Amino acid sequence: LNVLKGTLTSSTIIILAILFIYRFQGFPRSVFIIDGFLTFIFIGGLRVTIRLFLSEREKGLVSLRQILRFGSQMKPKKLRKRLLIIGAGDSGEKILREIKDNPRLNYEVMGFLDDDPKKRGMKIHGIPVLGPIPKIHNLAFDAEMDEILIALPSASARQMRKILQACEATGLKIRTTPGIGELIDGKVSFKMVREVSFEDLLGREPVNLDTESIGHYLKDRVVLVSGAGGSIGSELCRQVVSFNPRNLVILDKTENNLFHIEMEFRYRYPKLTITPILGDVHNRGFMDRLFATIKPQVVFHAAAFKHVPIVELNPWEGVFNNIIGTKNIVEASYQSGVERFVMISTDKAVRPVSVMGATKRVAEMITSCYASQNNTLTNGAKFVSVRFGNVIGSDGSVIHLFKRQIDRYGPVTITHPEITRYFMTIPESAKLILQAGALGEGGEIFILDIGTPIKIVDMARDLIRRSGFKPDVDIEIKYIGLRPGEKLYEELITEGEGIVRSAHEKIFVLKGKNNYDVNWLKEEIEELVKLALVQDAPGIKSKLKEIVPEYQPYEETKTDSA
């Protein structure tokens, strides 16, 4: 286009000059057209020739100097892997272009597959669209493919499962491009191509955020994140940074976690004001001094013990961390006048059978108490809770356990063949937490829409197959029975909690009983602390049942089922 513009400009100048000087006498009119055409061809052709020469030389073709130096004794060309790309759209085209331009990528694209009938028979940079995706087995076999690349970043979870089933039948290695939520400004690169992971099957639709409302309560604010070194806490920090807080306070009681997250932020965001704090939320004096010094305006409380069996064996620690820790940070937030407080809860708080779930339910009650109390004040803080299920990729995710077991060639251990869980990705959960914080008016419990529950055994089989093995043939699946505090099915709401839609499509609001008496709850918690101090496990569970009537300890559940 630039060559064409230059040619037209120069031709126009020449024509005008000859017109004014010679009045076109002795100059055939056709010569101007021929001159412009030849100028465009020669200048454009010269540039194309240079580009082709450099491209071919980069691809490893022998130059004249190499021929003169080595003669006919040339090394054989390295055999390239034959690649089949699923998806003849923009992503597939960009991947193909990068493979062609980068000879270091040892791939040769043999064809595309796409279900769009309009693309059938087309060629993209000389590579044909061979047919629809369902014919992948025959096409991959006939063309002797080595690998398959799924270039469909906007594919839904259902589409991905269907495509993966077809791909797995070929027995070839499968790769994929990131989902839309992982891409920035639509850029696609072969560097971003990765192995297919279980996250691809959960749904790849991006979370649409109301950035204006989130920015309104985060921009130029002092934001404190407790449990900032954990999976959810660290991702919350990464999401918060994009809204330009004045100071990001990262609080964690684990030194290594705090060190790693601080180093990451110092490197990635050198202009960010970050304050790392090493401390424990269940130390009330420490929390009061921290809030008096830092004066946070927004608090995300993600610090909690989350492993159900461990908390079940050490219930007093669950009381100290999940209940006392929440009480301390809520009261410190209330007294220091924070603008917004968001407590991260769990689906295990619904009709809990575990100490972990019961303590998180009490944490929700504490948050609701101060929300209702604060509503009587003008310009008061907005205290809300956010409840969601298991997070893929978190430190406690079952995915990590399954992958380690597969690496050791099994067995993959599952507690029960019918056990199901809700799952979502870490970035998705963090974004929705920020959005819930913007929607909250005080006292609500927000529920994140995390789709339908997934059977753990189906997840295990998918991971085994994706690792190149056959379930129950190469790697055994072993059932070991439910662990203490575990349920077969998790729920997101309990009886009496009315659920209504919020302004965001993926967030719901519970409108149940949230106006608990603060004094009554404080007295109950004080008795709970006394039991925790002497490590009275039966007493702790009995007191938790008094506070949370729907709590049914694991021992009772086991007896009833027996």
Side-chain angles (χ1 to χ4, degrees):
L1 186 60
N2 287 332
V3 171
L4 180 61
K5 290 176 183 176
T7 302
L8 290 174
T9 302
S10 64
S11 296
T12 302
I13 293 172
I14 291 171
I15 291 171
L16 291 174
I18 292 176
L19 174 63
F20 283 112
I21 298 172
Y22 300 104
R23 315 297 288 180
F24 284 142
Q25 293 180 7
F27 291 91
R29 306 298 188 270
S30 59
V31 77
F32 300 110
I33 299 173
I34 295 171
D35 174 70
F37 178 74
L38 291 176
T39 300
F40 177 76
I41 292 295
F42 287 141
I43 294 176
L46 177 64
R47 280 156 176 73
V48 169
T49 303
I50 292 171
R51 180 170 292 186
L52 284 174
F53 172 75
L54 294 174
S55 174
E56 293 301 315
R57 189 178 68 173
E58 183 69 19
K59 286 179 181 178
L61 296 181
V62 236
S63 64
L64 179 60
R65 183 180 300 173
Q66 289 174 312
I67 295 175
L68 292 173
R69 182 179 298 175
F70 299 110
S72 59
Q73 297 178 352
M74 302 302 300
K75 292 182 180 179
K77 190 176 178 181
K78 188 177 180 181
L79 195 62
R80 291 175 173 264
K81 294 180 181 178
R82 299 163 68 88
L83 184 68
L84 178 66
I85 298 179
I86 296 180
D90 290 341
S91 296
E93 184 271 335
K94 288 172 183 174
I95 292 292
L96 170 60
R97 194 192 318 160
E98 183 165 353
I99 290 174
K100 280 179 168 289
D101 292 342
N102 189 350
R104 295 181 183 85
L105 297 174
N106 192 35
Y107 286 94
E108 182 179 1
V109 179
M110 305 306 298
F112 290 89
L113 293 184
D114 201 290
D115 285 337
D116 187 351
K118 295 178 183 177
K119 295 178 180 177
R120 213 70 49 79
M122 288 177 56
K123 286 190 176 183
I124 301 174
H125 299 306
I127 305 300
V129 179
L130 300 173
I133 296 173
K135 291 186 177 181
I136 184 172
H137 189 275
N138 294 334
L139 291 169
F141 178 77
D142 294 340
E144 297 180 345
M145 300 296 178
D146 296 311
E147 290 188 18
I148 298 170
L149 172 63
I150 303 172
L152 296 169
S154 59
S156 66
R158 182 176 296 179
Q159 289 172 323
M160 278 297 292
R161 290 193 192 98
K162 187 177 178 182
I163 293 169
L164 279 173
Q165 286 175 356
C167 292
E168 286 169 352
T170 66
L172 300 177
K173 186 174 183 178
I174 308 167
R175 294 176 179 269
T176 185
T177 54
I180 283 181
E182 301 175 64
L183 300 179
I184 301 173
D185 298 329
K187 294 177 182 177
V188 181
S189 169
F190 198 86
K191 294 177 183 177
M192 303 179 75
V193 171
R194 53 168 171 73
E195 301 288 339
V196 178
S197 63
F198 192 79
E199 287 91 328
D200 298 317
L201 303 180
L202 294 181
R204 297 154 65 89
E205 296 81 5
V207 175
N208 298 313
L209 296 179
D210 181 0
T211 54
E212 185 177 349
S213 63
I214 298 174
H216 182 70
Y217 82 90
L218 290 179
K219 188 176 181 181
D220 293 326
R221 300 296 200 280
V222 179
V223 181
L224 183 146
V225 180
S226 71
S231 306
I232 297 296
S234 59
E235 185 61 30
L236 268 173
C237 293
R238 295 182 192 102
Q239 301 289 343
V240 166
V241 166
S242 61
F243 294 94
N244 301 314
R246 185 165 78 248
N247 183 12
L248 178 61
V249 184
I250 53 174
L251 169 64
D252 203 283
K253 72 173 185 177
T254 305
E255 183 187 20
N256 281 339
N257 287 353
L258 189 65
F259 171 77
H260 290 307
I261 190 69
E262 182 195 4
M263 288 300 101
E264 175 188 337
F265 278 75
R266 298 281 188 210
Y267 175 75
R268 293 179 60 186
Y269 313 104
K271 295 183 180 179
L272 172 70
T273 301
I274 181 171
T275 306
I277 302 293
L278 182 64
D280 201 328
V281 290
H282 82 248
N283 184 332
R284 179 56 190 272
F286 162 75
M287 293 304 297
D288 288 340
R289 288 188 295 274
L290 173 64
F291 273 69
T293 305
I294 300 295
K295 293 182 172 56
Q297 295 159 290
V298 180
V299 176
F300 292 98
H301 178 43
F305 285 149
K306 302 178 180 71
H307 289 274
V308 171
I310 293 177
V311 177
E312 200 69 25
L313 294 172
N314 304 273
W316 43 88
E317 293 299 330
V319 170
F320 290 136
N321 204 67
N322 294 358
I323 295 179
I324 304 306
T326 300
K327 178 176 177 291
N328 288 344
I329 196 169
V330 166
E331 289 181 348
S333 299
Y334 176 73
Q335 291 170 5
S336 65
V338 301
E339 298 173 6
R340 209 167 289 257
F341 180 95
V342 181
M343 201 278 291
I344 315 303
S345 188
T346 170
D347 57 356
K348 293 172 178 60
V350 180
R351 277 194 279 268
V353 299
S354 65
V355 172
M356 193 281 277
T359 55
K360 291 299 285 183
R361 177 59 188 142
V362 176
E364 289 181 352
M365 294 165 66
I366 294 169
T367 307
S368 297
C369 274
Y370 281 86
S372 58
Q373 182 174 337
N374 217 35
N375 284 338
T376 60
L377 304 175
T378 57
N379 299 322
K382 297 175 180 178
F383 287 75
V384 301
S385 299
V386 180
R387 187 188 287 173
F388 56 89
N390 297 269
V391 179
I392 292 286
S394 67
D395 294 334
S397 173
V398 71
I399 299 293
H400 293 313
L401 173 63
F402 287 168
K403 285 181 177 178
R404 286 196 296 269
Q405 292 175 335
I406 292 169
D407 289 341
R408 296 194 300 264
Y409 303 101
V412 171
T413 57
I414 300 174
T415 55
H416 193 282
E418 297 300 321
I419 193 168
T420 63
R421 288 293 181 266
Y422 291 97
F423 286 97
M424 67 191 311
T425 63
I426 294 177
E428 182 185 13
S429 61
K431 288 177 180 178
L432 290 175
I433 289 168
L434 294 187
Q435 187 68 71
L439 296 172
E441 293 299 326
E444 302 98 333
I445 296 178
F446 290 99
I447 293 180
L448 307 187
D449 179 11
I450 49 181
T452 56
I454 297 172
K455 288 184 74 171
I456 300 297
V457 66
D458 292 341
M459 175 195 294
R461 292 182 188 279
D462 281 336
L463 286 172
I464 293 171
R465 278 193 291 266
R466 215 156 299 123
S467 301
F469 301 103
K470 293 181 180 179
D472 301 314
V473 177
D474 300 320
I475 293 182
E476 178 191 1
I477 294 177
K478 187 177 181 180
Y479 300 105
I480 58 175
L482 290 174
R483 297 176 298 176
E486 278 192 326
K487 291 195 292 187
L488 274 180
Y489 312 102
E490 296 292 359
E491 306 161 278
L492 288 171
I493 62 171
T494 190
E495 192 174 345
E497 291 181 323
I499 186 169
V500 296
R501 282 193 173 274
S502 73
H504 193 277
E505 58 184 358
K506 288 193 174 185
I507 300 177
F508 300 90
V509 189
L510 293 183
K511 296 290 186 182
K513 179 190 174 185
N514 292 322
N515 54 337
Y516 301 98
D517 180 73
V518 179
N519 294 325
W520 166 80
L521 191 56
K522 280 185 177 180
E523 291 174 2
E524 295 294 315
I525 291 174
E526 285 176 7
E527 293 181 22
L528 198 56
V529 171
K530 292 176 183 176
L531 295 167
L533 287 171
V534 296
Q535 299 184 353
D536 182 358
I540 290 171
K541 294 179 181 180
S542 178
K543 178 53 66 176
L544 282 173
K545 191 169 176 62
E546 291 179 24
I547 303 173
V548 184
E550 63 269 24
Y551 168 50
Q552 190 174 10
Y554 171 75
E555 293 81 3
E556 296 179 16
T557 308
K558 191 174 180 181
T559 304
D560 292 343
S561 62

